[in-house]
Amino acid sequence: MISTEKNYLIALGSNVGDKFVNLQKAIVALFESVGTVEKIAPVYETPAWGFEGDSFYNTVVAVSASLPSEVVLKKLLAIEKRLGRLRNQESGYQSRTIDLDILFCEDEITQLENLQIPHPQLQNRKFVLQPLADIAPDLLHPVLQKSIREILADCEDQSVIHKLPRWLKNPKDNFLLSRY
């Protein structure tokens, strides 16, 4: 069987507990169960979006994986659960230890009940667009036919976000170092 690598862009967010550690644990779990973490955007502190809650830490990672998007989604949900995310039946947004969303998979357009790629709300969310623009500014949105840079410039979300002076570590680098 020939394995074909796909490039995924995945949004990460946390607003419960040690938010930075939650993001780092999620990145390690992505590396262990989904694929190679190729790029990690800076982390931004952002206000809760769509509900009252503590501020979030948000970032975006680029991951190369030979898995179909439906399998990646299942793995993201398993990572969320393992890291303490509790999903309940209440409608609307709520606080969470970790939130993982597939934003893009190449130029794939998927419309399933539980999976939509590109993510249907990303163009409305500065907390996703800013870190995404940091690692993929020229990526063309396959539906909107605009670059991420253009979508960010047009975004009406007026949230004030702050880049943190701390960087997440790429487990790929540690893995490579540990082999020598």
Side-chain angles (χ1 to χ4, degrees):
M1 185 169 90
I2 297 173
S3 127
T4 315
E5 292 283 310
K6 293 182 178 184
N7 294 308
Y8 288 89
L9 287 159
I10 300 170
L12 295 81
S14 176
N15 80 329
V16 172
D18 188 329
K19 301 178 270 196
F20 196 86
V21 168
N22 293 341
L23 294 178
Q24 187 65 64
K25 285 180 179 178
I27 289 171
V28 169
L30 287 168
F31 178 74
E32 291 171 346
S33 66
V34 176
T36 304
V37 177
E38 302 292 350
K39 292 182 183 177
I40 303 172
V43 177
Y44 289 86
E45 183 172 15
T46 67
W49 196 88
F51 72 103
E52 291 295 319
D54 291 340
S55 66
F56 275 80
Y57 282 5
N58 291 97
T59 192
V60 171
V61 296
V63 176
S64 62
S66 57
L67 304 170
S69 52
E70 294 88 352
V71 174
V72 171
L73 175 64
K74 286 179 183 165
K75 290 186 175 285
L76 297 186
L77 294 172
I79 292 167
E80 287 181 345
K81 186 174 183 178
R82 192 168 76 233
L83 295 180
R85 174 147 185 199
L86 301 173
R87 290 184 181 267
N88 60 34
Q89 304 308 314
E90 291 178 28
S91 63
Y93 299 109
Q94 48 203 271
S95 293
R96 59 211 73 155
T97 53
I98 196 70
D99 184 33
L100 302 170
D101 291 311
I102 300 172
L103 302 175
F104 292 99
C105 174
E106 309 270 325
D107 57 358
E108 179 179 315
I109 299 172
T110 302
Q111 295 292 323
L112 303 173
E113 183 180 339
N114 64 339
L115 177 62
Q116 295 179 358
I117 301 174
H119 192 286
Q121 293 296 321
L122 74 89
Q123 67 273 9
N124 302 318
R125 298 175 174 174
K126 192 173 174 185
F127 66 86
V128 170
L129 288 169
Q130 184 58 65
L132 183 57
D134 288 337
I135 62 172
D138 299 319
L139 176 73
L140 189 67
H141 191 295
V143 175
L144 301 177
Q145 292 298 304
K146 291 181 177 181
S147 72
I148 298 305
R149 181 183 291 116
E150 292 170 313
I151 295 169
L152 176 58
D154 294 343
C155 182
E156 294 181 9
D157 179 357
Q158 296 298 311
S159 301
V160 176
I161 65 175
H162 301 283
K163 186 191 288 189
L164 297 184
R166 246 174 116 184
W167 285 84
L168 294 160
K169 292 178 176 40
N170 191 331
K172 173 177 78 167
D173 298 335
N174 291 337
F175 176 72
L176 293 174
L177 290 175
S178 69
R179 292 175 43 199
Y180 298 102

